[in-house]
C-alpha cells in the first residue's frame, strides 16, 4: 500500500494520533532510521497519548472547575495556613477515591478552599477520574430548575455518574428544608459508589444548626464524616495576602 493509502486507512479507522505520528515520520530522517518495531512503538505511543488527551479535555470540560488552572504543584504552603505537605500529598495520591471516601476542606472565607478543591479535582482528572464541581447554592438551584421542567432524573444520572462530586461553599448561605433533603439524596446516592469533596466555612459541629433538620443532618454527616479526610485551613485571606504582595511589588 502507498503512503497515501495508509493515511486514508488510519483516518478511516479514527487513529488520529497514529496518523499524525506517521505523517511526521515521513519527513523525519530520525524516524527513518528506526526498525519496524521501533517505528510502530512510536506511532502507538502517539495514538495512546492522543486518546488520553481527548479524555483529559473531555473530563475537564465536564468538571467545570472554578479554577481549572489549579494543580497540586502550585498549592501554597505558606506558614500559617495549617497545610501539611505530607497530608495534601497523601490526598493527591487519590486512594480515597478508590475507597469511596471524602475530603473536607474547612476554613474561613478567602483562605483558598476552592482553589485547593480545584487542585485536588484537577489531580483526579489527570488520573482519568471523572469530576463534577458545583457551588452548593447553584447546585440546589439547578435541582429546582430540573424539578420544574421534568429533567431532574437526567440531571441526577449525570451527577451520580461522576466518580467525584465537588461541592463548594457548603454552609455559606441558609438552606431550605427541601434543599437539605436534596443534598441528602445526592450524597446518599454515592455513599457506596463515589466520593465527595466539600469546602465549607462552617466547622462540622455547626452543620446541625445550619441544616435545621436533626434527622437529615445526622444522615448527611453519617455518610460524609465517618469516612472523610478533614483539612482545616487557617490564616488570613489569601486574596488579601496576594493584594498586599502586589501593592508592595509596585512600590
Amino acid at each position: 500500500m502507498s503512503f497515501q493509502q495508509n493515511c486514508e486507512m488510519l483516518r478511516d479507522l479514527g487513529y488520529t494520533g497514529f496518523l499524525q505520528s506517521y505523517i511526521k515520520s515521513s519527513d523525519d530522517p530520525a524516524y527513518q532510521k528506526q526498525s519496524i518495531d521501533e517505528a510502530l512503538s512510536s506511532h502507538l505511543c502517539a495514538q495512546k497519548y492522543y486518546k488520553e488527551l481527548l479524555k483529559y479535555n473531555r473530563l475537564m470540560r465536564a468538571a467545570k472547575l472554578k479554577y481549572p488552572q489549579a494543580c497540586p504543584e502550585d498549592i501554597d504552603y505558606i506558614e500559617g495556613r495549617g497545610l501539611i505537605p505530607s497530608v495534601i500529598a497523601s490526598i493527591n495520591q487519590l486512594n480515597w477515591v478508590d475507597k469511596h471516601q471524602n475530603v473536607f476542606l474547612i476554613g474561613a472565607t478567602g483562605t483558598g478552599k476552592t482553589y485547593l478543591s480545584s487542585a485536588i479535582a484537577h489531580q483526579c482528572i489527570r488520573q482519568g477520574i471523572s469530576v463534577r464541581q458545583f457551588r452548593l447554592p447553584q447546585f440546589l438551584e439547578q435541582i429546582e430548575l430540573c424539578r420544574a421542567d421534568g429533567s431532574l432524573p437526567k440531571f441526577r444520572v449525570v451527577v451520580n455518574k461522576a466518580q467525584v462530586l465537588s461541592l463548594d461553599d457548603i454552609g455559606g448561605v441558609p438552606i431550605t428544608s427541601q434543599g437539605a433533603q436534596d443534598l441528602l439524596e445526592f450524597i446518599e446516592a454515592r455513599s457506596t459508589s463515589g466520593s465527595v469533596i466539600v469546602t465549607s466555612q462552617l466547622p462540622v459541629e455547626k452543620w446541625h444548626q445550619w441544616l435545621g433538620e436533626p434527622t437529615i443532618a445526622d444522615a448527611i454527616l453519617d455518610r460524609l464524616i465517618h469516612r472523610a479526610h478533614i483539612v482545616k485551613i487557617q490564616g488570613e485571606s489569601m486574596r488579601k495576602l496576594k493584594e498586599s504582595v502586589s501593592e508592595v511589588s509596585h512600590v
Side-chain angles (χ1 to χ4, degrees):
M1 295 181 69
S2 68
F3 173 79
Q4 189 60 40
Q5 288 174 319
N6 286 336
C7 288
E8 290 176 0
M9 182 174 291
L10 288 170
R11 190 175 291 109
D12 290 342
L13 290 170
Y15 292 170
T16 305
F18 196 122
L19 174 61
Q20 292 173 348
S21 178
Y22 180 61
I23 292 173
K24 180 180 178 182
S25 70
S26 66
D27 296 323
D28 190 338
Y31 273 99
Q32 295 170 7
K33 294 179 182 179
Q34 292 180 334
S35 67
I36 293 177
D37 286 337
E38 289 173 334
L40 178 60
S41 178
S42 295
H43 301 327
L44 289 174
C45 285
Q47 175 65 20
K48 183 174 183 291
Y49 174 77
Y50 179 81
K51 290 190 69 175
E52 289 174 346
L53 184 59
L54 284 181
K55 182 178 182 180
Y56 169 83
N57 289 333
R58 175 175 56 80
L59 291 176
M60 282 294 288
R61 286 194 300 271
K64 298 181 180 179
L65 302 182
K66 174 69 178 296
Y67 298 109
Q69 78 282 6
C71 59
E73 295 82 6
D74 291 338
I75 294 173
D76 195 339
Y77 294 98
I78 187 173
E79 186 177 356
R81 293 193 76 195
L83 294 181
I84 302 173
S86 60
V87 171
I88 302 303
S90 176
I91 289 174
N92 280 319
Q93 288 177 2
L94 307 179
N95 294 327
W96 53 276
V97 179
D98 295 331
K99 298 175 181 178
H100 307 311
Q101 296 174 346
N102 309 306
V103 173
F104 267 60
L105 307 175
I106 310 294
T109 301
T111 51
K113 301 183 299 298
T114 303
Y115 184 93
L116 183 55
S117 70
S118 292
I120 295 171
H122 194 172
Q123 177 69 0
C124 290
I125 291 170
R126 286 175 170 179
Q127 299 303 315
I129 297 168
S130 57
V131 180
R132 290 298 300 265
Q133 186 177 76
F134 300 89
R135 284 189 70 246
L136 183 64
Q138 279 67 49
F139 182 62
L140 297 178
E141 286 176 7
Q142 186 64 44
I143 292 173
E144 285 299 323
L145 289 172
C146 291
R147 181 178 286 118
D149 66 14
S151 63
L152 184 55
K154 181 179 179 180
F155 180 69
R156 190 180 290 119
V157 169
V158 170
V159 172
N160 292 339
K161 192 174 180 180
Q163 292 165 272
V164 176
L165 173 62
S166 178
L167 293 175
D168 190 36
D169 201 22
I170 283 186
V173 297
I175 189 169
T176 65
S177 177
Q178 181 62 62
Q181 183 63 52
D182 289 335
L183 178 59
L184 172 59
E185 180 184 335
F186 276 86
I187 289 174
E188 168 66 26
R190 62 182 43 249
S191 59
T192 58
S193 61
S195 297
V196 183
I197 300 174
V198 168
T199 74
S200 179
Q201 302 175 37
L202 288 181
V204 174
E205 56 269 22
K206 292 187 177 181
W207 278 41
H208 277 80
Q209 180 181 351
W210 170 64
L211 287 164
E213 298 279 347
T215 303
I216 292 179
D218 285 341
I220 289 175
L221 290 172
D222 180 66
R223 287 157 179 76
L224 290 178
I225 291 294
H226 291 167
R227 50 196 182 94
H229 302 264
I230 300 177
V231 177
K232 296 182 179 180
I233 308 176
Q234 305 167 0
E236 296 186 32
S237 167
M238 293 297 289
R239 284 189 285 269
K240 289 182 180 179
L241 288 174
K242 290 180 179 180
E243 288 172 1
S244 297
V245 171
S246 178
E247 289 174 1
V248 171
S249 66
H250 288 85
V251 173

